[in-house]
């Protein structure tokens, strides 16, 4: 299947995207985000607040080793992570349903830019101060009765949108 080794992964060109998890409490969700991030060679995962960090049996259970290939960093708060990312030239989007959000189907990531997306707590979403500090918000349209999706599913959809636009074409 021509899979990369962990060493080859670390040296490979990355999708210019950092995934920021803001107080995600489920280690299984965190592990799933690592696994999807590995699949699309995401630059890094930032774990913030109450997020657990590797090594963790629960994270490993869904990451299946991706926590060893994908670069990650811990921050006390997502706001701290966003501040660092913006200083480093990243365009930061929170993934939230807010007034004036950009619908995902109309968003087109631009080549040559570096991006970060913030995904929030399973119940409370992205902290308001993080939304306010972001350059904008992306929203996944939903057609059913619920107004939210599992954070790891959301991460998969968002990561794929960036990968499709920036590296899969």
């Amino acid at each position: 299947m021509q899979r990369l080794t962990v060493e080859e992964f670390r040296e490979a060109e990355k999708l210019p995207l950092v995934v920021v998890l803001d107080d995600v409490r489920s280690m299984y969700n965190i592990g799933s985000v690592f696994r999807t991030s590995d699949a699309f060679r995401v630059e890094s995962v930032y774990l913030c607040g109450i997020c657990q960090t590797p090594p963790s049996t629960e994270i490993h259970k869904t990451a299946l080793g991706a926590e060893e290939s994908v670069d990650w960093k811990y921050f006390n708060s997502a706001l701290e992570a966003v501040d660092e990312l913006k200083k480093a030239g990243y365009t930061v989007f929170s993934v939230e349903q807010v007034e004036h959000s950009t619908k995902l189907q109309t968003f087109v990531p631009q080549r040559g830019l570096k991006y970060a997306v913030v995904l929030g707590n399973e119940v409370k979403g992205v902290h308001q101060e993080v939304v306010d500090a972001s350059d904008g918000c992306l929203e996944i349209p939903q057609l059913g009765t619920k107004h939210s999706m599992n954070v790891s599913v959301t991460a998969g959809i968002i990561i794929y949108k960036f990968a499709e636009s920036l590296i899969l074409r």
Side-chain angles (χ1 to χ4, degrees):
M1 293 183 71
Q2 301 179 353
R3 298 289 182 210
L4 300 176
T5 65
V6 171
E7 294 76 25
E8 291 169 333
F9 181 94
R10 290 183 190 271
E11 298 299 319
E13 183 178 351
K14 302 295 187 295
L15 178 64
L17 179 68
V18 173
V19 176
V20 180
L21 299 182
D22 180 9
D23 278 346
V24 172
R25 63 189 159 130
S26 167
M27 289 180 268
Y28 300 119
N29 282 334
I30 293 168
S32 291
V33 170
F34 269 106
R35 193 163 163 192
T36 302
S37 295
D38 176 275
F40 293 102
R41 285 193 299 202
V42 165
E43 183 180 318
S44 189
V45 173
Y46 286 6
L47 305 169
C48 306
I50 67 169
C51 291
Q52 294 297 308
T53 62
S56 160
T57 302
E58 289 84 2
I59 290 173
H60 182 75
K61 192 171 199 171
T62 51
L64 297 178
E67 73 278 25
E68 297 170 18
S69 57
V70 176
D71 185 40
W72 64 271
K73 196 171 182 181
Y74 176 79
F75 291 85
N76 288 323
S77 74
L79 187 58
E80 182 184 324
V82 167
D83 288 343
E84 181 176 296
L85 288 160
K86 289 180 86 170
K87 286 176 187 168
Y90 285 80
T91 300
V92 178
F93 289 100
S94 287
V95 180
E96 273 295 339
Q97 299 169 354
V98 298
E99 192 173 338
H100 306 299
S101 63
T102 300
K103 302 290 190 239
L104 190 60
Q105 70 270 25
T106 64
F107 176 68
V108 180
Q110 301 300 305
R111 291 184 186 278
L113 295 180
K114 300 183 298 185
Y115 292 98
V117 291
V118 183
L119 299 141
N121 175 272
E122 293 89 342
V123 175
K124 298 177 182 179
V126 178
H127 284 95
Q128 186 61 51
E129 64 269 14
V130 175
V131 170
D132 294 341
S134 297
D135 295 303
C137 289
L138 297 176
E139 181 177 337
I140 299 171
Q142 297 173 47
L143 307 174
T145 62
K146 301 299 174 195
H147 297 285
S148 67
M149 291 186 286
N150 176 277
V151 66
S152 67
V153 172
T154 299
I157 293 167
I158 295 290
I159 292 168
Y160 184 81
K161 175 69 173 189
F162 281 88
E164 178 185 45
S165 297
L166 299 175
I167 62 172
L168 295 176
R169 291 188 181 216

